[in-house]
Amino acid sequence: MPTVGVKRDLLFKALGKTYTDEEFDELCFEFGLELDEITSEKEIISREQGDSKALGASDIILYKIDVPANRYDLLCMEGLVRGLQVFKDKLEAPRYRRISPVSGDPQKLIITKETAAVRPHAVAAVLRNITFTQERYDSFIELQDKLHQNICRKRSLVAIGTHDLNKISGPFTYTAKPPGDICFKPLNQTKEYTATQLMSLYKTDSHLRHYLHIIEDKPVYPVIYDSNGIVLSMPPIINGDHSKITLNTKNVFIECTATDVTKAKIVLDMMVTMFSEYCAQPFTVEEAEVVYQNGKTCIYPELAYRKEKLSSEFINKKVGINESTEKIAQLLTRMCLRSQATGDGDEIEVEIPPTRSDVIHACDIMEDAAIAYGFNNIVRTTPRTYTIANQFPLNKLTELLRQELASAGFTEALNFALCSQEDIAEKLGKKISETRAIHISNPKTAEFQVARTTLLPGLLKTIAANRKMPLPLKLFEISDVVLKDETRDVGARNSRRFCAIYYNKSPGFEVIHGLLDRTMQLLEVKPARGVGYHIQAADDSTFFPGRCAEIFAYGKSIGHLGVLHPDVINRFELTMPCSALEIDIEPFLGHTAETPLTHDVPMQEVIKHKFPMQDESQQSPSSHPTKTVFGDMSTPAGLKALNGFLADKSYIEGFVASQADTAVFDAISSAPSPTFCHLLRWYNHIKTFQRERAGLPPAKSQFVLSASPLASTNTSDDEIDLFGSDDEVESAEAARIKEQRLAEYAAKKSKKPAVIAKSSILLDVKPWDDETDMAKLEECVRSVSMEGLLWGQSKLVPVGYGIKKLQIGCVVEDDKVGTDLLEEAITAFEEYVQSVDVAAFNKI
């Protein structure tokens, strides 16, 4: 969430009231905001740069307020004050108007065809007769920066330019020229530079260097001239010094160049609506005319109001309140959404102002009504519908398989779902058109171009990054791949795959084949054609000819296994033979996803799961005793006592279902009345365990009392030890032997050396640009020295546009070195390093 910093005293003066810190924190919460921090400029500098740098800094109290990311109207003090005053019914939401110039034609911005290659869109407006103070000027500049970092996506979508209209003359021309042909004096500089020189100058600028990449590789750079040929700005980098605004500026020309015209309109609306209150005619904005290369003319700003209709029943139902139509209309009006009842039933007409671009659906209006009503004022009620949570069957099957595969000696790897086209096509000996891959429309790097269609490349890249580790390397991964599917509404679907790989001096085909047999054994699939699974010879360009088999289960192909082709191994920079297995596990969903996988070996001795039928499990009520420690479950008093016991508990004892729950469940003859809401919730939940009740943990205490005549005549309630333990009946000799064996085991275990947990990490270290000295960068990285850190091999990997990143491996002791510590140490070399990412992380 963006954070807005405002001076406390200035804020209170604008609000017309002084609050304590606690009162203002409560006001922010009521309005849907959060007072994040109370600080000062001096405290911030002292914390970030040290006490010596904070000398002379201001002690004025600052409020740091977190605002929702889509509430652009709250990113400055003007919008924040306006919203709070309307919320507290101290002010009516203003109406913003677009007006024509008092004399002459509106200012004109002409867009030429050359801009189509870089930033094809532009919008403009004029704030006429505005009055700036130092605080207003600072807020004006800060809002531009907040919008640049937020909706403008660091100027990549929209760049804002503000100019003193009295220093320039229209019409203005927005065009694009080669960088060598652009020459002007940029903001706060003393001489003129060409665009090429500016790019070199700002590469060391801590603020502007982050925006250079947007246009530096373009053949032409965007630029705006006035009618006298004076450069106003070179978006999205810098404005010209000639037209800069000051405290004495009275007329401001605002232009926004963009790659997204919708975002440009929103940004322009925010700039003019927030500061139009300081104009001679408050909340009025002078229009400007934009002429496109095809002759099309548009008038900006749009300042469009739109109306939506919805019912008060919708809001009452979604929020959980019961208010009249008129009351809800009042609540929405307090959120700057002018609303009124139409008189047609419970219909409400809501007017969306140009400042509320975040309102795009009825749910957004409903959320504002809930905020205005007050979340703390919504009455807490028990849900009418009880749902029983359960693990997604596919995920449950995945977790069970993971445990078994790890027990078989394989190490799990987790790789990115995105990869390059080369990884799933050329490197595997296939054509990209055959892969049914989903392509990313605007990939940021060559490494993330498509969604993976197979897990194999990720495991091969993991082995390549860890090939110096002791052999054999045995890895597996169970994750989703993404495939095209025209039958789905999004045109694609996820498919859960299991892939395993064996890397050694010999291919190890028998190891992979054995893993397949073990997996099928766990899934209770017999080795048989049609009704079980089988393999048959197949040809696949990824595998060595004659060393590939296709896997069938229940008559359908589910995957392949075999020895990888030498060309495939070489393309992934490996030097030894490799066997692999990849299958689709979704066909095996069924009862195996709901019950533990069997561990019995061999397959012929697998114990079949036999579950009682529903008729068998429903025994007659008379066969179970009804008396429990809570009372007789056949009486309302007993049920009431149990309902109270379960008010803050999910189970009779502990935190998982056990035999104690099933025993009490059996004591209840039928489903309890909805009056006993907690008991009914528990009853429905335990009812789902009837099939697997035999496998539930035993009860630690007795909750159901025996119904036998002998017990009732010879034993009183006071004599029953409900919380007794079997350990109490052990003989003294048995206890002595047990203690002796535990002591011997502890002494033996203490002599064993502690296992040092280690991990293999592959880091991607990205430079600032293609001119960075990569040898020096690697030298800096390897200079990082810590106890428990051992650097490995490295290589340079192309990223795009001539830029390469350093990919370097290392082995760390988990207790001594963490990835956060590594990243912090490497990014300290700010001159060379832009960012550090963990490309692979594997436990050793």
Side-chain angles (χ1 to χ4, degrees), residues 56 112 116 120 135 143 146 153 197 245 293 308 313 327 426 441 554 572 578 597 607 620 641 647 700 728 753 804 824:
T112 67
E135 290 78 12
L143 177 61
K146 293 291 184 184
R153 297 294 186 269
Q197 292 170 333
I245 63 173
Q293 57 267 30
E308 300 288 345
E313 180 188 6
K327 176 64 175 177
E426 288 85 352
S441 61
Y554 306 122
F572 283 94
C578 193
L597 296 178
I607 300 176
S620 62
K700 297 179 180 178
E728 297 174 3
K804 295 182 178 180
E824 182 179 349

Side-chain angles (χ1 to χ4, degrees), residues 178-213 215-216 221-223 225 231-241 769:
D181 296 345
I182 301 173
C183 185
F184 67 103
K185 185 168 76 170
L187 193 64
N188 300 327
Q189 295 294 330
T190 57
K191 65 176 184 177
E192 292 188 346
Y193 294 85
T194 65
T196 305
Q197 292 170 333
L198 281 177
M199 287 303 199
S200 300
L201 175 67
Y202 290 138
K203 281 190 176 180
T204 56
D205 188 284
S206 60
H207 177 61
L208 295 177
R209 71 183 183 186
H210 302 295
Y211 311 122
L212 301 182
H213 71 277
I215 62 170
E216 64 179 341
Y221 290 179
V223 62
Y225 293 95
V231 174
L232 273 64
S233 67
M234 186 179 75
I237 308 302
I238 192 73
N239 287 348
D241 190 69
D769 50 43

